[in-house]
Amino acid sequence: MRRISANYIFPVSSAPLKNGIIEINELGVIHNIIDTKGALSESRNLEFYNGVIIPGFVNAHCHLELSYLKNKITPQEGLPDFLTNVVKQRGVMRNEFVMENISKHDALMKQRGIVAVADISNTNNTLRVKARSKIYYHTFVETIGLSNAQEIFQKQKTIYDEFIQNGLKTSITPHAPYSVSEELFLKIKKHSEKYNSVISIHNQESKDENAMFLSKSGDLVKALTSLGVDLSSWYPSGKKSVASVINWLPKENNILFVHNTYSTQEDIDIIHKNLSSPYWCLCPMSNLYIENKLPDFSLFKSYDEKVTLGTDSLASNRDLSILDEMKTIAINSDITFNQLLKWATLNGAKFLAIDNRFGSLEKGKKPGLNVITNFDFQKMHLSESSQIKVLC
Ligand SMILES: [Zn+2]
């Protein structure tokens, strides 16, 4: 049994404990959490850390298979150019290099205190690493296509089956409103209703997404056309993207809307009115890398139980660090540390339906344990030099 203490313990599901003690067994399962009322009178066999102890992070949006694209895409050229560059880079890299990077960055996420990942996959490249990883993965096999819905769905269903047969949690998921046809959306909806799957979809990452749905104009239309996508039978709905596809999504499933850089209160309201369990994922470092624009964080404050954080892929980020995502939001908003921490841990665990094990410090859970050092105790918030140390 390890007995661990720090200046504060943040269980997330309950109030912070000054000089609290947490007891974990050799498997990392929490045996007990002791409220010392701020007085560490008994320090027998105690590991003490300067900082705050928190549960392991849940990375709610990643593309591990794209790790080989680190430093390969020019920053701040906007989403349409970013997509074009990713498609061009795909397939030109040696397979060995792709696989090495998957393995390396799985290990890196563990070092960054991440214990669970919602990971988007277009291929089965990450399967082997995930099957023996220390991290819990839920794979979202992504479908993209504005035509040939049956063929595309079947191809991705084969990858889905392979992950499932290897005992890995998996869903079939749509890429984004602008890249999936109605027919393909409806196939995914039927499949996810049958298996009660959780779903993840990129949302309003570029202003051109709305332009495409409103009037079939903007740089996204140009980028898709230049990539050879046939848009001749794609018609704009005359409504913004969210309103255009909302009825093609399953109503009862947990659905994660990722990025939301250009989302407004109106978009958020449409989603909450029409769906019973929507979640939001913010990936600010990726937004700065691709569009040099951040979402309006204040819009999400009232959905405190529903906001999660993601790193996105190394194609659009310098690191896979949830702590860095938290720092970026802290610098650019008035979101408190308590709120941010919930976004980085428990909410992602709830979205993935793994909060019986992950996301908070509670007896019987095995959530992983991190300590944040260089914490600003005066402001009770992260400082620029805050760092993560993984305890288990
Ligand atoms: Zn993404």
Side-chain angles (χ1 to χ4, degrees):
M1 186 82 70
R2 285 171 74 186
R3 303 177 78 238
I4 302 169
S5 183
N7 302 70
Y8 280 90
I9 291 180
F10 278 80
V12 182
S13 51
S14 54
L17 300 172
K18 192 178 181 194
N19 296 139
I21 298 173
I22 184 159
E23 294 178 343
I24 55 165
N25 71 14
E26 47 293 338
L27 298 172
V29 177
I30 298 175
H31 176 72
N32 203 5
I33 300 174
I34 302 160
D35 182 359
T36 63
K37 313 274 185 219
L40 263 188
S41 53
E42 192 229 331
S43 57
R44 181 177 46 93
N45 299 327
L46 195 67
E47 295 172 42
F48 186 88
Y49 296 92
N50 283 313
V52 300
I53 289 176
I54 61 164
F57 291 129
V58 178
N59 182 357
H61 186 71
C62 186
H63 304 243
L64 184 60
E65 69 184 11
L66 297 182
S67 297
Y68 71 98
L69 290 176
K70 188 176 181 189
N71 297 328
K72 295 279 191 297
I73 314 277
T74 315
Q76 299 181 2
E77 290 194 325
L79 183 71
D81 278 358
F82 175 82
L83 292 174
T84 311
N85 286 328
V86 168
V87 173
K88 279 184 186 158
Q89 293 276 354
R90 268 192 172 170
V92 301
M93 220 58 76
R94 275 182 309 116
N95 194 41
E96 204 180 302
F97 185 70
V98 173
M99 300 311 254
E100 269 169 27
N101 272 282
I102 290 171
S103 187
K104 179 176 158 189
H105 291 100
D106 164 64
L108 178 110
M109 279 200 274
K110 183 81 183 75
Q111 285 170 26
R112 299 283 186 268
I114 294 168
V115 292
V117 180
D119 189 61
I120 309 290
S121 300
N122 292 84
T123 68
N124 62 2
N125 286 348
T126 53
L127 196 152
R128 277 195 200 164
V129 166
K130 284 173 179 169
R132 53 181 160 74
S133 176
K134 290 189 176 112
I135 291 176
Y136 172 95
Y137 282 96
H138 187 119
T139 299
F140 294 82
V141 177
E142 187 173 72
T143 56
I144 305 181
L146 293 175
S147 53
N148 303 327
Q150 176 59 24
E151 196 184 313
I152 291 163
F153 185 83
Q154 211 40 59
K155 187 167 169 247
Q156 296 312 82
K157 168 79 166 49
T158 308
I159 297 174
Y160 164 88
D161 288 338
E162 213 181 325
F163 275 92
I164 291 284
Q165 280 152 19
N166 279 275
L168 294 159
K169 278 280 182 192
T170 314
S171 307
I172 299 181
T173 218
H175 168 251
Y178 60 83
S179 59
V180 174
S181 65
E182 177 180 358
E183 195 186 344
L184 187 50
F185 259 116
L186 295 177
K187 282 183 186 298
I188 299 163
K189 180 180 182 180
K190 198 173 160 192
H191 185 269
S192 50
E193 282 171 346
K194 185 172 173 189
Y195 295 100
N196 191 26
S197 325
V198 296
I199 285 199
S200 173
I201 182 168
H202 295 85
N203 181 49
Q204 293 174 311
E205 194 177 354
S206 150
K207 64 177 177 358
D208 296 298
E209 181 170 323
N210 285 329
M212 181 167 161
F213 279 90
L214 288 168
S215 57
K216 205 176 177 176
S217 63
D219 286 346
L220 204 49
V221 172
K222 280 184 207 156
L224 292 172
T225 308
S226 82
L227 287 169
V229 178
D230 179 11
L231 288 172
S232 60
S233 52
W234 189 93
Y235 298 99
S237 64
K239 293 184 273 189
K240 286 165 81 182
S241 64
V242 164
S244 304
V245 304
I246 193 84
N247 289 323
W248 305 339
L249 292 167
K251 300 234 178 300
E252 309 295 333
N253 304 46
N254 288 359
I255 304 184
L256 187 70
F257 291 85
V258 182
H259 291 302
N260 318 299
T261 327
Y262 292 86
S263 299
T264 61
Q265 189 61 52
E266 184 197 6
D267 299 315
I268 295 171
D269 287 346
I270 287 174
I271 286 172
H272 278 273
K273 254 181 221 149
N274 284 277
L275 304 173
S276 65
S277 189
Y279 282 81
W280 303 97
C281 181
L282 305 175
C283 310
M285 302 281 285
S286 172
N287 302 148
L288 290 175
Y289 191 104
I290 297 178
E291 292 262 330
N292 197 24
K293 163 107 170 69
L294 289 170
D296 181 352
F297 298 123
S298 65
L299 288 177
F300 298 94
K301 273 200 227 167
S302 14
Y303 306 94
D304 196 36
E305 307 293 320
K306 294 288 194 170
V307 184
T308 69
L309 302 182
T311 58
D312 211 348
S313 78
L314 285 171
S316 60
N317 208 337
R318 312 254 179 225
D319 203 339
L320 300 176
S321 159
I322 290 295
L323 184 70
D324 285 353
E325 305 294 333
M326 293 171 79
K327 284 184 192 176
T328 305
I329 297 178
I331 292 166
N332 291 287
S333 73
D334 60 354
I335 310 288
T336 65
F337 177 70
N338 276 314
Q339 282 179 306
L340 264 185
L341 183 61
K342 190 160 59 172
W343 298 4
T345 56
L346 188 57
N347 291 356
K350 283 184 179 165
F351 162 64
L352 290 172
I354 52 170
D355 51 314
N356 57 343
R357 174 176 164 192
F358 295 103
S360 60
L361 305 180
E362 292 175 64
K363 251 189 213 182
K365 282 196 180 185
K366 190 186 168 184
L369 227 53
N370 297 327
V371 57
I372 301 178
T373 56
N374 298 329
F375 191 78
D376 184 338
F377 286 104
Q378 232 148 31
K379 292 184 185 152
M380 281 310 268
H381 214 314
L382 298 170
S383 74
E384 235 170 275
S385 56
S386 290
Q387 285 188 337
I388 277 289
K389 182 181 162 68
V390 177
L391 299 182
C392 79

